[in-house]
Amino acid sequence: MKSACICIASAFLLFVFSCQKQGNSVNNSTGSSTDSIEYNLNKITLLQLLNKARQTGCTCGTTVMPPVPALAWNDLLAKAAYNHSHDMEQNNYFSHTGLDGSSPGTRITAVGYNWSTWGENIAMGYPDEQAVMNAWLNSPPHCMNIMNGNFKEIGAGKSGNYWTEDFGSK
């Protein structure tokens, strides 16, 4: 079996992507389109796996994470996630920073999501939602993003072997 990996540039990269915007935020009415867009993955399966971990709690490395509320799917976050996965695939790179210098926060803003906090997990080489979730849950910083109770919504996208999930709260 071909071994898959999550490339982690540094602990800084992994922890820095749980940021909070300073100042006031405006809360849009829904923030999510009603389109049934799948973004090259099974969003129902991924959301069930994420919420199962969140609702039961887990241990991220040596840190015990208590249960937190379930996440809701947001198509704007999914669009930002898919766009980043697609860019990484098309340009053959793997990073939270886009080749244009964009950060997850700027990409999430660019699709129209008015965030107060956001996070991002990326992965490469996993065949399905269960495999990528297992990898993220076995990586303490990625696991901590999944278990972050400040996040209320999730969107994810896959392009080729590149996975991105973007978390957010308004």
Side-chain angles (χ1 to χ4, degrees), residues 45-60:
T45 298
L46 187 63
L47 192 59
Q48 287 174 341
L49 292 168
L50 284 161
N51 284 332
K52 180 180 178 187
R54 287 173 65 92
Q55 291 169 344
T56 58
C58 64
T59 301
C60 300

Side-chain angles (χ1 to χ4, degrees), residues 141-170:
H142 292 98
C143 180
M144 287 181 192
N145 267 348
I146 291 167
M147 297 304 298
N148 186 332
N150 292 322
F151 299 140
K152 307 300 180 204
E153 297 179 303
I154 181 77
K158 178 181 181 249
S159 185
N161 286 318
Y162 293 84
W163 296 79
T164 304
E165 61 181 3
D166 285 334
F167 303 89
S169 293
K170 294 181 180 169

Side-chain angles (χ1 to χ4, degrees), residues 66-84:
V68 292
L71 294 166
W73 186 266
N74 183 286
D75 278 331
L76 292 175
L77 291 171
K79 181 171 177 50
Y82 172 79
N83 290 349
H84 187 55

Side-chain angles (χ1 to χ4, degrees), residues 107-118:
R107 292 189 296 272
I108 291 168
T109 298
V111 298
Y113 188 86
N114 187 17
W115 55 269
S116 65
T117 187
W118 57 262

Side-chain angles (χ1 to χ4, degrees), residues 7-160:
C7 298
I8 302 172
S10 68
F12 173 99
L13 264 182
L14 295 172
F15 286 106
V16 94
F17 293 113
S18 293
C19 299
Q20 293 209 354
K21 184 190 269 185
Q22 299 299 317
N24 296 330
S25 66
V26 177
N27 193 358
N28 293 339
S29 59
T30 64
S32 180
S33 74
T34 57
D35 296 339
S36 171
I37 302 169
E38 295 299 325
Y39 297 106
N40 293 328
L41 52 76
N42 186 324
K43 72 181 183 183
I44 293 170
T45 298
L46 187 63
L47 192 59
Q48 287 174 341
L49 292 168
L50 284 161
N51 284 332
K52 180 180 178 187
R54 287 173 65 92
Q55 291 169 344
T56 58
C58 64
T59 301
C60 300
T62 59
T63 305
V64 175
M65 303 297 290
V68 292
L71 294 166
W73 186 266
N74 183 286
D75 278 331
L76 292 175
L77 291 171
K79 181 171 177 50
Y82 172 79
N83 290 349
H84 187 55
S85 289
H86 185 70
D87 186 54
M88 288 190 295
E89 179 195 21
Q90 292 298 301
N91 294 294
N92 195 31
Y93 74 99
F94 186 76
S95 176
H96 289 284
T97 303
L99 292 181
D100 61 358
S102 63
S103 70
T106 58
R107 292 189 296 272
I108 291 168
T109 298
V111 298
Y113 188 86
N114 187 17
W115 55 269
S116 65
T117 187
W118 57 262
E120 179 173 87
N121 286 347
I122 60 175
M124 181 177 63
Y126 295 94
D128 58 35
E129 292 77 9
Q130 183 67 62
V132 77
M133 274 298 299
N134 289 345
W136 280 327
L137 288 171
N138 285 313
S139 166
H142 292 98
C143 180
M144 287 181 192
N145 267 348
I146 291 167
M147 297 304 298
N148 186 332
N150 292 322
F151 299 140
K152 307 300 180 204
E153 297 179 303
I154 181 77
K158 178 181 181 249
S159 185

